[in-house]
């Protein structure tokens, strides 16, 4: 599934979040289970249940046609039931995400993610997130962080399960234990990839995500989620910390990814259509933070929203 990565991707946020990003030189990957996006994961988990059951039923049909159905013992059905339970809440993994969009000045994004249009849209260079993905996996191939485009269509879902995960290959030539093994691998892979699939109703968002996923067993063993520490053989410009904030009378965790230079990560900043912020004040603020050298420095473009949203 090839993808074209735009040179700039946009993160819509409030002015408070913008200030935190700039002054801390960092972004937060937030616990997706504590946001509205948790329903998106449930949607993908339901898709997983459907396609795993569909592949299983198709296998049984082929076994019956081949006169081999008697080889399927009761433990096969028990294992299928266990796989269904893996994708029921509480899910066996935890995910943190940082969300971006291809849309630079979008009314829906202003309303939903930028304090009802009073915030900003930060234009990040997409190479920033490609580098996090690539460097972390170069240091440690088992690193659980990925930067990917969200897939929305039914075709994407079917390709993922039947082509990428190989469910189309299930035939009567497979022993029941081999089918269970394949379906188990597909289930685990679907859980890990759930943050990158959404219902087609959201396709207009054109979203990309940086997502970190780890298993509950890893957390229960006392491991703190975060990026691999710097490697002596590689100049890694990223670092991470794990922390919590109180939000909506709950403790919400996040993975903070810090940058050696925030200025190198930014391409533009668009002021929201309802924001009181002026271009002059924004430039002076960026100068005070060492992001811009002076008022004539246009290395980071400043825009005001063209949306007639009041």
């Amino acid at each position: 599934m090839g993808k074209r990565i735009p040179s700039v991707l946009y993160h819509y946020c409030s002015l408070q979040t913008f200030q935190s990003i700039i002054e801390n030189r960092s972004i937060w990957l937030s616990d997706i289970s504590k946001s509205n996006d948790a329903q998106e994961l449930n949607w993908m988990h339901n898709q997983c249940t459907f396609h795993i059951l569909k592949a299983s039923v198709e296998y049984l049909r082929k076994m019956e046609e081949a006169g081999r159905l008697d080889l399927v013992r009761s433990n096969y059905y028990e294992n299928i039931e266990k796989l269904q339970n893996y994708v029921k809440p509480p899910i066996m993994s935890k995910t943190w995400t940082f969300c971006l969009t291809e849309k630079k000045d979008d009314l829906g994004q202003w309303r939903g993610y930028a304090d009802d249009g009073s915030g900003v849209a930060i234009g990040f260079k997409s190479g920033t997130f490609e580098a996090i993905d690539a460097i972390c996996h170069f240091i440690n191939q088992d690193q659980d962080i990925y930067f990917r485009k969200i897939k929305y269509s039914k075709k994407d879902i079917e390709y993922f399960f039947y082509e990428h995960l190989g469910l189309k290959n299930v035939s009567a030539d497979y022993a029941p234990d081999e089918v269970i093994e394949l379906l188990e691998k597909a289930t685990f892979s679907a859980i890990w990839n759930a943050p990158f699939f959404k219902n087609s109703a959201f396709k207009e968002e054109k979203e990309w995500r940086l997502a970190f996923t780890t298993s509950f067993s890893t957390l229960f063993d006392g491991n703190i989620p975060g990026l691999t520490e710097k490697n002596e053989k590689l100049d890694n410009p990223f670092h991470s910390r794990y922390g919590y904030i109180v939000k909506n009378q709950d403790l919400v965790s996040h993975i903070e990814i810090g940058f050696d230079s925030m200025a190198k990560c930014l391409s533009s900043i668009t002021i929201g259509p309802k924001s009181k912020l002026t271009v002059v004040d924004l430039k002076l603020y960026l100068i005070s933070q060492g992001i811009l050298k002076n008022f004539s420095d246009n290395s980071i473009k400043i825009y005001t929203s063209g949306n007639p949203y009041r």
Side-chain angles (χ1 to χ4, degrees):
M1 294 187 287
K3 60 181 181 291
R4 175 191 63 83
I5 303 180
S7 59
V8 180
L9 291 166
Y10 303 92
H11 179 71
Y12 287 72
C13 61
S14 67
L15 284 180
Q16 289 85 355
T17 298
F18 168 68
Q19 182 183 26
S20 175
I21 288 173
I22 295 299
E23 296 187 9
N24 294 314
R25 299 329 194 239
S26 66
I27 59 172
W28 282 12
L29 280 67
S30 298
D31 182 353
I32 198 170
S33 70
K34 302 297 180 74
S35 71
N36 292 333
D37 291 340
Q39 295 305 313
E40 299 163 11
L41 292 185
N42 291 338
W43 178 83
M44 180 54 176
H45 297 151
N46 290 335
Q47 292 293 313
C48 178
T49 298
F50 172 79
H51 289 290
I52 293 300
L53 285 176
K54 182 179 177 181
S56 177
V57 169
E58 182 65 13
Y59 170 66
L60 294 174
R61 185 188 66 79
K62 291 177 179 178
M63 290 292 278
E64 184 176 25
E65 288 180 349
R68 304 181 64 206
L69 193 57
D70 60 310
L71 297 177
V72 182
R73 308 299 182 187
S74 60
N75 67 319
Y76 173 86
Y77 302 99
E78 292 170 0
N79 284 322
I80 291 296
E81 185 176 358
K82 288 180 182 178
L83 291 181
Q84 294 179 65
N85 290 330
Y86 282 142
V87 293
K88 292 180 181 179
I91 306 302
M92 54 186 277
S93 63
K94 202 166 187 62
T95 298
W96 298 263
T97 61
F98 183 76
C99 303
L100 303 119
T101 176
E102 297 180 20
K103 293 189 170 183
K104 175 183 176 182
D105 186 8
D106 180 70
L107 183 57
Q109 302 278 336
W110 288 122
R111 284 176 171 163
Y113 305 109
D115 195 15
D116 195 31
S118 297
V120 297
I122 307 172
F124 283 95
K125 297 175 183 177
S126 57
T128 300
F129 307 101
E130 289 182 273
I132 293 173
D133 185 321
I135 291 175
C136 289
H137 287 99
F138 180 84
I139 295 174
N140 179 3
Q141 292 183 354
D142 295 327
Q143 191 74 278
D144 294 319
I145 191 164
Y146 295 94
F147 172 59
R148 292 177 184 167
K149 184 177 183 178
I150 302 300
K151 301 293 185 180
Y152 301 96
S153 73
K154 180 179 178 181
K155 183 178 179 181
D156 288 326
I157 288 285
E158 292 179 343
Y159 180 95
F160 176 72
F161 281 101
Y162 295 97
E163 300 291 337
H164 181 67
L165 299 181
L167 296 191
K168 73 169 187 177
N169 299 322
V170 175
S171 71
D173 293 331
Y174 279 61
D177 287 347
E178 292 177 309
V179 174
I180 290 297
E181 183 178 356
L182 177 62
L183 296 181
E184 186 178 75
K185 289 180 179 179
T187 299
F188 293 159
S189 182
I191 291 172
W192 249 246
N193 284 275
F196 303 107
F197 288 90
K198 292 174 69 170
N199 190 295
S200 59
F202 298 96
K203 65 181 180 180
E204 294 303 317
E205 292 188 346
K206 294 187 177 180
E207 186 178 352
W208 290 69
R209 278 179 177 169
L210 184 69
F212 184 100
T213 299
T214 192
S215 66
F216 273 127
S217 61
T218 299
L219 298 174
F220 294 161
D221 286 340
N223 295 298
I224 301 300
L227 306 188
T228 300
E229 295 299 321
K230 293 190 176 185
N231 188 294
E232 295 179 357
K233 298 180 180 179
L234 188 66
D235 182 18
N236 180 7
F238 316 113
H239 56 275
S240 71
R241 292 187 299 178
Y242 181 66
Y244 285 82
I245 61 169
V246 175
K247 183 177 180 181
N248 298 326
Q249 298 181 324
D250 194 4
L251 279 172
V252 181
S253 63
H254 60 267
I255 297 174
E256 182 179 8
I257 299 180
F259 306 97
D260 288 350
S261 172
M262 179 57 73
K264 292 180 180 179
C265 303
L266 303 181
S267 174
S268 67
I269 298 167
T270 303
I271 300 172
K274 292 178 67 176
S275 178
K276 297 179 181 179
L277 184 63
T278 67
V279 172
V280 170
D281 283 339
L282 178 55
K283 277 211 163 189
L284 290 175
Y285 172 66
L286 294 176
I287 292 170
S288 74
Q289 295 299 313
I291 304 295
L292 293 179
K293 295 178 181 178
N294 51 52
F295 203 82
S296 299
D297 185 351
N298 293 313
S299 58
I300 298 171
K301 305 297 183 184
I302 307 296
Y303 303 101
T304 55
S305 171
N307 251 300
Y309 175 40
R310 292 291 181 268

